[in-house]
Amino acid sequence: MVYALLIHSVDSSQSLHFSIFYTPEGNDGNKKTRQQSIIRRILQEHLFQKHSGDQQNTTKSKTPEESDWLFRFTADSKNTSQIGMDYTEGILRLQASSLFQHPKLVVWKQVEQVVYTLVCEPLDNPLLASNFLTYFVAELSDQFRKGSSIADEVAARPDEVLVILNWLLPDGRLIFANNHLRMYWKGEIANMLSR
């Protein structure tokens, strides 16, 4: 079961564009503190990757063969310029503390200047979580690329994000999905958003 989903800026721990918590613990009085704690930890990890010698070469523009399958996948559609974009990702563990009753697994992807963070229970499958984030980022990109930035569009249209989440992450459950299911979801999401 997914604990939370956050969409925030890579520039500041104060720039939260969207968040949803799927548990009562996540929606208690410490929600803001919990959000800030997660964002700060992700930004620390992101900065570490950006400035480490191993990751420095991979965060610069990648060739299509080296890039994540998301970018090869979306390159088949209308935007081929996404292949060389800034991209980092990671998985980390949050220990039990006053903010988290039990340890949490955090899977995140940073695309351009936006970080997509999925907080899961420790026994959840990190590959399913990463796969969800890949589909989620692609769907948001398809739906919100018409406006200014994705972050501004997500903050301005949270109801549409909730419609997308209703299909991709129903009730906070990770679902095994392939490209055919993603295409079905894409049609259903477009149908719901056109109403």
Side-chain angles (χ1 to χ4, degrees), residues 8-13 36-52 55 88-94 106 108 110 115 117:
H8 53 94
S9 173
V10 75
D11 298 329
S12 166
S13 65
Q36 292 302 313
S37 174
I38 294 168
I39 292 171
R40 276 194 299 273
R41 182 67 197 277
I42 297 300
L43 294 180
Q44 288 173 348
E45 184 73 18
H46 168 72
L47 287 174
F48 175 76
Q49 285 189 19
K50 291 289 284 187
H51 296 296
S52 72
Q55 187 67 16
T88 55
E89 66 180 341
I91 299 173
L92 55 98
R93 184 179 172 97
L94 299 174
V106 180
W108 61 275
Q110 176 264 321
V115 180
T117 303

Side-chain angles (χ1 to χ4, degrees), residues 96-116:
S97 66
S98 61
L99 294 176
F100 304 104
Q101 186 176 3
H102 302 287
K104 302 295 179 211
L105 179 71
V106 180
V107 180
W108 61 275
K109 289 185 186 247
Q110 176 264 321
V111 180
E112 294 175 344
Q113 294 298 312
V114 181
V115 180
Y116 305 88

